[in-house]
């Protein structure tokens, strides 16, 4: 929940009902609230005793109308600031430089404004969290387009130990991790995930995608002098949601060749193809095996606001395509394909 800044963990019992395991956000552990309440009561008792002594003429100066006590940081933010501060001191002692300390204090206001935006479970005890400036939430929610906005900080939180194990600034480091260990982000090695998710084509298991990525980096590096934009685009895929990937052999770049700008293993909106999407089989004689055309029969009134989404069955040759519009907020055309 972005409003309450809380991560709720649920489990499905034998009857199919959701059972809340724990919540992480304001409090990390279940007894954190009781501990803070005990200290709060002790502080209130101390303040009452001091006000009584001051009224009896005991020397001392206390404010006559004390302001409301300043609330502490939330459990998640306190753990994040603690990790960043410890990392600064560790790097300072290792390299003998105060630049890390200056950088920490210079960006401290940015750290205080960070709020959880998206997350995903990596395994049984680690969560990948993307942080965003809290003032950007209304704008992101109104635009409804997260792909064009690049978050600045990401962290990996161990909720069993209650501490951060990593915090990344920018998109380059996160993008490199995804390119080399995409299967870990998809959770394909977890026993609880669907067995077909491990066959999704990715940068870490598909040589054709890696070769395509190298060409794209070289193109951007030649035109713009840097391939940072490619890394930013890849980092927007994370954290991955369970509904984001399509585990279909027709989307395996090792078996078929297709235009990934129009269709890909990720269920994000794609621009409409003018003449359909061709799927070419990767053999000695490359030939078109089949074609998908999501556009409706009458294309005269279609503009750039329309986009297409696809759902591929993991094992059967069955595909669903839908054409929607950002301006009308409705589905224009739905097609079903079966080979």
């Amino acid at each position: 929940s972005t409003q309450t800044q809380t991560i709720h963990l649920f489990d499905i019992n034998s009857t199919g009902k959701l059972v809340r395991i724990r919540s992480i956000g304001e409090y990390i552990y279940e007894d954190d609230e009781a501990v803070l309440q005990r200290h709060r009561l002790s502080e209130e008792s101390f303040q009452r005793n001091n006000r009584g002594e001051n009224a009896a003429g005991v020397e001392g100066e206390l404010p006559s109308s004390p302001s409301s006590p300043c609330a502490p940081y939330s459990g998640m933010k306190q753990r994040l600031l603690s990790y960043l501060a410890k990392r600064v001191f560790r790097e300072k002692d290792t390299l003998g430089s105060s630049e890390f300390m200056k950088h920490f204090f210079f960006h401290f206001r940015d750290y205080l404004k960070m709020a959880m935006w998206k997350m995903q479970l990596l395994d049984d005890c680690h969560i990948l969290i993307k942080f965003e400036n809290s003032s950007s939430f209304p704008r992101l929610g109104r635009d409804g387009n997260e792909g064009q906005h690049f978050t600045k900080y990401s962290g990996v939180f161990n909720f069993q130990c209650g501490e951060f194990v990593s915090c990344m600034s920018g998109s380059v480091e996160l993008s490199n991790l995804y390119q080399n260990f995409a299967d870990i982000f998809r959770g394909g090695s977890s026993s609880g995930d669907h067995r077909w998710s491990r066959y999704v084509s990715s940068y870490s298991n598909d040589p054709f995608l890696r070769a395509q990525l190298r060409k794209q980096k070289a193109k951007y590096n030649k035109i713009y002098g840097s391939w940072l934009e490619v890394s930013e685009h890849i980092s927007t895929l994370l954290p991955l949601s369970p509904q984001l990937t399509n585990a279909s052999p027709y989307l395996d770049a090792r078996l078929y060749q297709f235009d990934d700008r129009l269709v890909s293993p990720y269920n994000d909106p794609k621009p409409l193809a003018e003449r359909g999407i061709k799927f070419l089989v990767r053999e000695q004689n490359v030939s078109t095996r089949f074609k998908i055309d999501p556009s409706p029969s009458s294309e005269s009134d279609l503009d750039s606001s329309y986009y297409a989404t696809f759902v591929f069955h993991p094992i059967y040759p069955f595909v669903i395509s839908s054409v929607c519009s950002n301006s009308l907020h409705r589905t224009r055309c739905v097609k079903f394909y079966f080979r």
Side-chain angles (χ1 to χ4, degrees):
S1 173
T2 57
Q3 293 182 350
T4 61
Q5 287 295 290
T6 305
I7 299 174
H8 303 281
L9 300 178
F10 291 86
D11 190 16
I12 302 178
N13 59 13
S14 57
T15 61
K17 295 183 178 180
L18 291 175
V19 179
R20 189 180 71 88
I21 301 176
R22 60 185 295 188
S23 297
I24 305 171
E26 184 69 23
Y27 308 106
I28 303 299
Y29 298 108
E30 297 295 335
D31 58 343
D32 285 352
E33 186 175 5
V35 172
L36 291 176
Q37 181 66 16
R38 186 167 62 250
H39 286 283
R40 190 176 298 113
L41 293 176
S42 299
E43 178 66 21
E44 291 176 357
S45 176
F46 174 77
Q47 293 289 346
R48 285 195 302 267
N49 294 335
N50 281 347
R51 284 198 297 268
E53 292 178 0
N54 197 42
V58 179
E59 292 185 1
E61 189 172 336
L62 289 174
S64 57
S65 59
S67 59
S68 59
C70 181
Y73 297 129
S74 65
M76 185 64 71
K77 183 165 291 187
Q78 189 275 333
R79 298 301 199 282
L80 178 62
L81 293 175
S82 175
Y83 172 82
L84 293 173
K86 290 180 180 178
R87 187 177 67 176
V88 166
F89 281 102
R90 183 170 60 250
E91 293 174 344
K92 177 178 179 296
D93 295 339
T94 303
L95 302 178
S97 174
S98 60
E99 294 298 325
F100 298 102
M101 185 70 69
K102 295 179 182 178
H103 183 273
F104 175 77
F105 285 110
F106 183 80
H107 292 279
F108 187 75
R109 291 184 179 271
D110 296 335
Y111 299 150
L112 294 182
K113 295 178 182 179
M114 285 195 304
M116 292 185 290
W117 174 241
K118 294 191 297 182
M119 56 77 61
Q120 77 164 104
L121 280 170
L122 297 178
D123 52 27
D124 296 337
C125 59
H126 290 91
I127 303 177
L128 173 64
I129 306 173
K130 264 194 174 181
F131 294 93
E132 180 56 66
N133 192 319
S134 56
S135 61
S136 303
F137 280 10
R139 178 174 55 80
L140 290 174
R142 181 173 61 254
D143 294 344
N145 187 2
E146 304 171 16
Q148 301 300 325
H149 187 84
F150 309 119
T151 52
K152 192 174 182 180
Y153 297 98
S154 303
V156 178
F157 182 74
N158 187 325
F159 57 85
Q160 289 186 352
C161 300
E163 60 183 13
F164 278 87
V165 298
S166 175
C167 184
M168 293 157 282
S169 175
S171 60
V172 176
E173 185 176 359
L174 187 63
S175 173
N176 291 336
L177 288 175
Y178 180 69
Q179 294 173 40
N180 296 307
F181 308 100
D183 296 334
I184 296 179
F185 286 96
R186 283 203 317 269
S189 58
S190 302
S191 58
D193 290 331
H194 198 280
R195 59 179 178 173
W196 299 108
S197 63
R198 71 190 68 178
Y199 300 114
V200 178
S201 183
S202 65
Y203 296 115
S204 60
N205 59 23
D206 194 331
F208 295 100
L209 286 182
R210 289 198 295 270
Q212 183 180 1
L213 180 62
R214 286 194 296 267
K215 292 181 180 179
Q216 191 174 8
K217 285 183 177 181
K219 178 181 177 181
Y220 274 83
N221 195 27
K222 182 179 180 180
I223 298 177
Y224 304 105
S226 173
W227 47 271
L228 182 61
E229 187 175 350
V230 179
S231 299
E232 290 177 342
H233 174 71
I234 295 175
S235 66
T236 57
L237 300 174
L238 300 173
L240 294 176
S241 63
Q243 298 83 13
L244 184 62
T245 55
N246 272 315
S248 173
Y250 296 109
L251 297 176
D252 193 338
R254 294 163 292 189
L255 302 178
Y256 293 93
Q257 181 180 353
F258 49 85
D259 191 348
D260 63 342
R261 296 172 299 178
L262 304 176
V263 63
S264 69
Y266 302 100
N267 291 332
D268 51 342
K270 299 292 185 180
L272 285 177
E274 296 181 357
R275 300 181 180 178
I277 305 171
K278 294 182 179 181
F279 285 78
L280 289 73
V281 63
R282 290 188 183 274
E283 293 179 351
Q284 293 182 356
N285 298 324
V286 179
S287 59
T288 303
R289 182 58 57 92
F290 62 95
K291 184 172 67 172
I292 292 178
D293 188 4
S295 302
S297 302
S298 58
E299 304 179 5
S300 57
D301 57 342
L302 294 182
D303 53 21
S304 59
S305 66
Y306 286 89
Y307 60 89
T309 58
F310 302 90
V311 177
F312 285 74
H313 196 277
I315 55 176
Y316 294 111
F318 180 70
V319 184
I320 302 176
S321 69
S322 62
V323 177
C324 306
S325 173
N326 281 325
S327 58
L328 301 179
H329 302 287
R330 62 182 178 88
T331 303
R332 170 68 186 275
C333 176
V334 178
K335 291 186 178 181
F336 301 88
Y337 309 86
F338 186 80
R339 291 192 65 201

